[in-house]
């Protein structure tokens, strides 16, 4: 059996489409765990409605605690041999489960597939090579398959016995990056992985209010950076990753979280003396070496950090905010 975990928060406009796509799967041996994370709209009622129609569906209503806490509730109650996640504002094609399960028969601990990206009227399928990954070609995931980027829980099939043996859960103290920490920790507990070029997961890429663009508190951003850096550095060390492209991509992931800290310094109204103290007291090597600046402004800011001109950096950055 496959346990399908859906965290839900105020998703009444998309939830029926999501749930119908699960019910219409060609593979029928599944349980659906709906975690209503304190929704204030009709999401909870819709969950109860579907549970009353299908005994394979369970609903858990809880106070709002965030997507990680919702997914963890699902993991606590999952009974399937395999676990997959679906977000409430997405849906899955008819053969999503059967394709994932077919690939799991290759004696692997994790199946990874890709998505069909819906962005308004534009629909694009991700194109990556399929492969069996073990110790001999582990680095290739971060060279050919962009696994420094594709860290979301969905479109993957996890063995529940590994999740339970190593007590894996999503970090409820993180507001971003918890998916990468969970995935990489799981990967370090795995022997073989199959990456499929299937695109049966339909992901809706909303730009407004995106979690990746939202700036959290400075404390939260620092915590996320430390967690990401720790797991990525651990993976590089334990898997003896030496490929320069793989190293660059993984180090870019760490650098992107350093950039988030810098953004928080100037968008969360941090006092000047504290800003300067953090700028002077931190090592910005990841950001300076691995961020490819898309704008002239950021190129200049990177040069200032590299030269340790922190007061000038602070002046330019603060002036840019005011303008």
């Amino acid at each position: 059996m496959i346990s399908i975990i859906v965290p839900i928060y105020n998703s009444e406009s998309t939830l029926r489409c999501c749930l119908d796509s699960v019910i219409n799967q060609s593979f029928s041996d599944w349980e659906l765990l709906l975690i209503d994370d304190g929704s204030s709209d009709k999401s909870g009622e819709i969950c109860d409605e579907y549970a009353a129609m299908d005994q394979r569906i369970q609903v858990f209503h809880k106070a709002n605690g965030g997507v990680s806490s919702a997914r963890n509730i699902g993991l606590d109650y999952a009974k399937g041999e395999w676990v997959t996640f679906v977000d409430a504002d997405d849906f899955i094609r008819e053969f999503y489960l059967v394709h994932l399960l077919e690939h799991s028969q290759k004696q692997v601990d994790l199946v990874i597939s890709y998505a069909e990206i819906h962005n308004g009227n534009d629909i694009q399928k991700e194109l990556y090579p399929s492969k069996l990954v073990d110790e001999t070609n582990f680095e290739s995931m971060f060279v050919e398959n962009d696994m420094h980027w594709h860290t979301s829980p969905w479109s993957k099939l996890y063995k529940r016995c590994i999740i339970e043996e190593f007590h894996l859960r999503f970090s409820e103290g993180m507001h971003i990056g918890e998916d990468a920490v969970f995935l990489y920790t799981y990967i370090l507990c795995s022997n073989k992985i199959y990456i499929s070029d299937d695109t049966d997961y339909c992901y809706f890429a909303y730009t407004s209010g995106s979690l990746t663009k939202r700036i959290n508190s400075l404390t939260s951003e620092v915590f996320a950076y430390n967690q990401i850096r720790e797991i990525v550095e651990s993976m590089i060390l334990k898997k003896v990753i030496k490929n320069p492209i793989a190293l660059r991509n993984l180090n870019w992931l760490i650098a992107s979280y350093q950039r988030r800290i810098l953004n928080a310094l100037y968008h969360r109204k941090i006092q000047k003396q504290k800003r300067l103290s953090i700028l002077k007291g931190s090592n910005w090597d990841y950001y300076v070496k691995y961020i490819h600046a898309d704008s002239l402004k950021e190129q200049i800011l990177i040069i200032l950090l590299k030269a340790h001109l922190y007061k000038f950096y602070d002046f330019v950055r603060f002036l840019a905010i005011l303008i």
Side-chain angles (χ1 to χ4, degrees):
M1 183 171 67
I2 299 177
S3 295
I4 307 163
I5 298 172
V6 182
I8 299 159
Y9 178 72
N10 290 351
S11 304
E12 64 176 4
S13 63
T14 60
L15 187 54
R16 291 184 185 277
C17 178
C18 174
L19 301 185
D20 287 341
S21 73
V22 174
I23 292 173
N24 293 327
Q25 287 294 293
S26 59
F27 179 80
S28 61
D29 190 12
W30 49 258
E31 64 169 358
L32 179 58
L33 308 176
L34 306 179
I35 319 301
D36 173 26
D37 189 36
S39 297
S40 57
D41 64 1
K42 295 182 179 179
S43 294
E45 298 174 27
I46 295 172
C47 290
D48 292 335
E49 173 190 331
Y50 275 76
M53 295 189 299
D54 195 319
Q55 62 181 4
R56 295 172 296 179
I57 301 176
Q58 299 181 65
V59 181
F60 301 86
H61 299 284
K62 61 183 286 295
N64 181 254
V67 66
S68 290
S69 68
R71 287 180 177 138
N72 288 341
I73 290 290
L75 291 175
D76 290 343
Y77 286 94
K79 296 182 176 64
E81 179 182 357
W82 296 90
V83 174
T84 190
F85 297 90
V86 178
D87 283 353
D89 50 358
D90 300 331
F91 69 91
I92 51 180
R93 298 293 184 190
E94 179 184 1
F95 297 104
Y96 174 74
L97 294 179
V98 74
H99 284 161
L100 287 174
L101 198 60
E102 283 176 354
H103 299 313
S104 74
Q105 305 309 307
K106 298 176 175 68
Q107 304 301 310
V108 297
D109 298 320
L110 173 65
V111 180
I112 297 171
S113 62
Y114 291 95
E116 185 179 272
I117 309 297
H118 293 241
N119 195 351
N121 294 324
D122 183 38
I123 300 176
Q124 295 183 345
K125 290 187 176 183
E126 295 179 305
L127 299 174
Y128 292 92
S130 57
K131 65 178 67 172
L132 183 66
V133 176
D134 57 21
E135 294 295 327
T136 65
N137 65 340
F138 183 84
E139 298 173 324
S140 67
M141 287 196 298
F142 305 100
V143 177
E144 300 173 340
N145 296 90
D146 281 356
M147 289 310 299
H148 59 291
W149 182 257
H150 290 278
T151 59
S152 55
W154 43 260
S155 211
K156 298 172 179 67
L157 191 65
Y158 301 87
K159 267 187 178 177
R160 191 170 67 86
C161 63
I162 291 179
I163 292 174
E164 294 310 310
E165 178 182 355
F166 294 97
H167 310 289
L168 303 182
R169 291 296 187 271
F170 291 88
S171 174
E172 297 182 22
M174 295 179 70
H175 296 98
I176 191 168
E178 71 286 345
D179 51 356
V181 173
F182 180 87
L183 175 64
Y184 289 171
T185 305
Y186 184 97
I187 285 176
L188 287 177
C189 300
S190 306
N191 292 315
K192 290 185 179 181
I193 300 166
Y194 186 76
I195 300 180
S196 164
D197 60 2
D198 295 330
T199 54
D200 298 314
Y201 191 96
C202 298
Y203 168 71
F204 282 79
Y206 300 110
T207 54
S208 60
S210 170
L211 288 175
T212 57
K213 295 181 179 180
R214 185 183 306 163
I215 299 172
N216 301 304
S217 70
L218 178 62
T219 300
S220 176
E221 296 292 0
V222 170
F223 180 71
Y225 160 70
N226 287 331
Q227 295 296 305
I228 290 292
R229 186 189 65 186
E230 180 179 349
I231 189 61
V232 170
E233 290 179 345
S234 178
M235 177 177 289
I236 292 172
L237 180 65
K238 291 180 180 179
K239 295 296 185 179
V240 197
I241 297 177
K242 296 181 179 180
N243 181 287
I245 298 176
L247 288 172
R248 184 189 66 201
N249 287 338
L250 284 167
N251 286 325
W252 168 87
L253 182 61
I254 299 175
S256 68
Y257 282 81
Q258 279 200 322
R259 178 159 58 181
R260 293 186 63 88
I261 292 175
L262 290 168
N263 288 339
L265 279 178
Y266 294 92
H267 289 273
R268 303 295 294 188
K269 297 182 180 180
I270 308 299
Q271 291 184 343
K272 180 178 180 178
Q273 290 306 314
K274 185 175 182 179
R275 294 199 308 265
L276 287 173
S277 175
I278 292 173
L279 288 172
K280 293 176 182 178
S282 304
N283 185 334
W284 302 105
D285 281 355
Y286 281 109
Y287 174 72
V288 167
K289 291 179 181 178
Y290 297 106
I291 287 295
H292 175 72
D294 295 326
S295 66
L296 177 61
K297 182 186 77 173
E298 188 167 25
Q299 291 174 13
I300 294 171
L301 290 171
I302 288 175
I303 291 172
L304 294 176
L305 274 186
K306 188 175 182 179
H308 307 296
L309 299 173
Y310 302 118
K311 289 185 178 180
F312 198 18
Y313 176 95
D314 183 74
F315 173 77
V316 173
R317 188 71 190 264
F318 191 72
L319 183 64
I321 293 294
L322 293 179
I323 295 175

